[in-house]
């Protein structure tokens, strides 16, 4: 994954829209608390962002594109 920088107003607009679909309307103070904890990344096709069985401590929000989940030894 590669950290990226987009125009901050555009990022905030994308984030507000995405989070409102997941969580409903957010209070401005909640949004302001979330914002500094974010890292915007670009993920290339085929790149693994986490492995099956890994203990996660991150939340990924896809703002453009799609993800695919696969199982080890799966089809």
């Amino acid at each position: 994954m590669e950290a990226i920088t987009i125009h901050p107003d555009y990022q905030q607009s994308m984030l507000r829209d995405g989070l409102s679909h997941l969580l409903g309307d957010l209070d401005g103070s909640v949004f302001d608390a979330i914002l500094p904890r974010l890292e915007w990344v670009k993920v290339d096709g085929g790149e693994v962002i986490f492995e099956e069985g890994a203990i996660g401590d991150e939340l990924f929000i896809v703002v453009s594109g799609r993800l695919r989940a696969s199982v080890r030894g799966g089809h």
Side-chain angles (χ1 to χ4, degrees), residues 1-74:
M1 288 182 281
E2 171 188 344
I4 60 171
T5 302
I6 303 174
H7 189 277
D9 291 337
Y10 181 67
Q11 285 177 314
Q12 289 184 26
S13 174
M14 290 172 40
L15 179 62
R16 278 187 194 275
D17 186 50
L19 289 178
S20 70
H21 288 296
L22 292 171
L23 307 172
D25 291 331
L26 290 177
D27 177 279
S29 63
V30 173
F31 183 77
D32 291 341
I34 292 170
L35 205 54
R37 293 180 164 85
L38 296 177
E39 178 182 2
W40 291 79
V41 296
K42 176 183 178 277
V43 179
D44 293 324
E47 187 173 351
V48 175
I49 57 174
F50 55 89
E51 298 279 342
E52 178 183 353
I55 297 173
D57 63 353
E58 300 173 312
L59 169 68
F60 294 90
I61 300 171
V62 178
V63 295
S64 177
R66 61 184 178 188
L67 295 178
R68 179 180 64 183
S70 58
V71 179
R72 284 187 213 142

